[in-house]
């Protein structure tokens, strides 16, 4: 199989695995509203994590909400299940104001008691930014 064909098969397998995990993890759509931020001022924290997040495991998407609307939905790249929380991760390539690209990993954790957290890791560009709040099924 060629390099492209092999990569395509890996992507298809990963998508199927994520879809399977989402259905096993309880594929309920959830929305988390954040109320506090660490690692940066609340203004900067909100600009990275959003003020809320919509997690839709059925469609395999995460979407951050801001005061002026919703950011484009991003695919969930992994789901981890624990006895008291689920963690949804998405990764994206972003561009700064100078056009330089960098990778950002975002993890959103939903606890069984309704607590929710977000963590943004942009590598060495900025320190990790964390948000916390409450989550509920939609």
């Amino acid at each position: 199989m060629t390099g492209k064909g092999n990569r395509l098969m890996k992507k298809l397998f990963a998508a199927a695995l994520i879809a399977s995990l989402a259905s096993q993890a309880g594929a309920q759509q959830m929305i988390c509203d954040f109320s506090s931020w660490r690692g940066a001022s609340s203004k900067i924290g909100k600009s990275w994590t959003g003020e809320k997040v919509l997690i839709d495991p059925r469609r395999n998407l995460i979407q951050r909400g801001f005061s002026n609307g919703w950011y484009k939905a991003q695919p969930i790249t992994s789901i981890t299940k624990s006895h008291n929380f689920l963690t949804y991760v998405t990764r994206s390539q972003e561009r700064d104001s100078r056009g330089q690209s960098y990778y950002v990993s975002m993890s959103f954790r939903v606890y069984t008691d309704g607590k929710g957290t977000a963590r943004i890791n942009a590598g060495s560009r900025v320190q990790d930014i964390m948000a916390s709040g409450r989550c509920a099924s939609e």
Side-chain angles (χ1 to χ4, degrees):
M1 188 175 284
T2 67
K4 283 185 180 181
N6 193 18
R7 284 191 297 265
L8 177 61
M9 289 300 291
K10 285 181 181 179
K11 285 182 180 181
L12 290 173
F13 176 75
L17 179 62
I18 289 169
S20 170
L21 285 172
S23 66
Q24 294 170 9
Q28 295 182 26
Q29 184 171 300
M30 294 160 281
I31 192 157
C32 300
D33 289 302
F34 301 123
S35 55
S36 65
W37 288 263
R38 291 186 324 208
S41 69
S42 62
K43 182 179 179 180
I44 291 171
K46 287 177 187 179
S47 74
W48 282 80
T49 64
E51 296 174 26
K52 57 188 166 187
V53 65
L54 176 67
I55 302 169
D56 188 346
R58 287 174 297 198
R59 293 183 15 214
N60 194 42
L61 296 173
I62 293 175
Q63 191 169 17
R64 293 176 290 149
F66 299 87
S67 60
N68 61 349
W70 291 92
Y71 189 71
K72 66 182 178 189
Q74 297 176 279
I76 296 170
T77 56
S78 69
I79 300 170
T80 306
K81 186 175 182 178
S82 169
H83 71 283
N84 65 342
F85 61 82
L86 287 166
T87 303
Y88 301 89
V89 176
T90 184
R91 292 180 177 83
S92 63
Q93 185 175 6
E94 305 289 338
R95 293 201 178 275
D96 64 18
S97 59
R98 291 174 282 167
Q100 300 291 321
S101 64
Y102 59 97
Y103 290 92
V104 176
S105 175
M106 294 176 267
S107 62
F108 301 93
R109 189 172 281 182
V110 180
Y111 292 83
T112 55
D113 67 358
K115 178 182 168 188
T117 62
R119 182 180 183 122
I120 307 295
N121 179 330
S124 61
R125 296 182 146 293
V126 295
Q127 70 180 43
D128 287 1
I129 297 173
M130 292 155 277
S132 60
R134 304 294 297 168
C135 300
S137 297
E138 279 281 292

